[in-house]
């Protein structure tokens, strides 16, 4: 089974999880990068990121290579901002909604606090599914590492290749 892990990561927590998933599944990693970077430090990080998420903005992305026909499954990953999936993944979904239809789609979200269940529901709605093939919520897997978090990521990845 050929898998693509499409992800956006600001603080590298989502990237950490995406890389672990790719190692277990031999997946292709497809990072999504907005043309205009969000502030990554201080209060501006939370104000601009939260505003962008709540206002359902769809930032323009740097070019990326994604051909859904090459993959049996697609995994979407991003951080949670103000109980919403980070806006760059929203842009990716909008640009690829038809290509994702009928695909085996899974998702994982990274956060530091609450809002995960609501963000996951919003991500399902954006993709147009009632459930993902597999779902995972992680709390700071890179910033606060533990063997339990690595095991959770590996268990999620193993479900993808069953």
């Amino acid at each position: 089974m050929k898998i693509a892990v499409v992800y956006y990561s600001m603080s590298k927590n989502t990237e950490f999880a995406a890389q672990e998933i790719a190692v277990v599944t031999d997946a292709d990693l497809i990072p999504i990068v907005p043309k205009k970077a969000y502030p990554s430090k201080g209060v501006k990080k939370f104000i601009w990121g939260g505003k962008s998420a709540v206002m359902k903005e769809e930032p323009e992305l740097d070019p990326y290579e994604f051909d859904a026909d090459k993959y049996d499954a697609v995994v979407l990953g991003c951080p949670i901002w103000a109980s919403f999936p980070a806006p760059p993944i929203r842009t990716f979904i909008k640009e690829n909604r038809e290509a994702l239809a009928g695909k085996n789609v899974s998702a994982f979200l990274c956060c530091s606090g609450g809002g995960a269940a609501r963000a996951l529901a919003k991500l399902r709605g954006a993709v147009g599914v009632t459930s993902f093939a597999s779902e995972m919520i992680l709390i700071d897997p890179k910033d606060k590492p533990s063997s339990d978090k690595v095991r959770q990521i590996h268990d999620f990845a193993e479900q993808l290749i069953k």
Side-chain angles (χ1 to χ4, degrees):
M1 175 184 302
K2 191 65 180 157
I3 299 171
V5 178
V6 179
Y7 69 95
Y8 167 71
S9 186
M10 176 188 279
S11 64
K12 306 297 182 200
N13 279 292
T14 304
E15 181 178 70
F16 172 83
Q19 290 172 341
E20 287 291 316
I21 293 165
V23 166
V24 174
T25 63
D26 193 31
D28 290 343
L29 288 171
I30 303 172
I32 299 301
V33 179
K35 281 196 180 284
K36 182 179 178 186
Y38 290 94
S40 61
K41 295 181 182 167
V43 73
K44 285 184 179 182
K45 172 183 176 180
F46 297 102
I47 291 172
W48 287 105
K51 176 200 75 76
S52 183
V54 171
M55 299 302 291
K56 299 181 181 175
E57 292 177 1
E58 295 171 350
E60 189 176 351
L61 302 176
D62 282 347
Y64 57 87
E65 290 187 33
F66 175 72
D67 178 359
D69 292 335
K70 291 175 41 179
Y71 301 104
D72 301 303
V74 177
V75 179
L76 303 172
C78 69
I80 298 169
W81 295 355
S83 299
F84 285 83
I89 206 74
R90 182 181 297 116
T91 301
F92 173 84
I93 292 166
K94 181 180 178 183
E95 293 175 353
N96 294 281
R97 182 168 284 122
E98 287 182 28
L100 292 172
K103 287 282 178 196
N104 181 350
V105 180
S106 295
F108 70 96
L109 299 174
C110 295
C111 63
S112 294
R118 289 191 323 212
L120 198 51
K122 291 170 186 169
L123 189 60
R124 283 186 216 107
V127 174
V129 298
T130 56
S131 64
F132 289 115
S134 195
E135 300 176 347
M136 175 174 61
I137 296 168
L138 294 163
I139 298 176
D140 296 329
K142 179 193 76 64
D143 292 343
K144 297 177 183 173
S146 73
S147 58
D148 286 342
K149 291 174 187 174
V150 170
R151 185 172 41 256
Q152 183 183 2
I153 294 167
H154 284 228
D155 289 348
F156 174 82
E158 290 290 334
Q159 291 175 10
L160 299 173
I161 54 179
K162 285 185 178 177

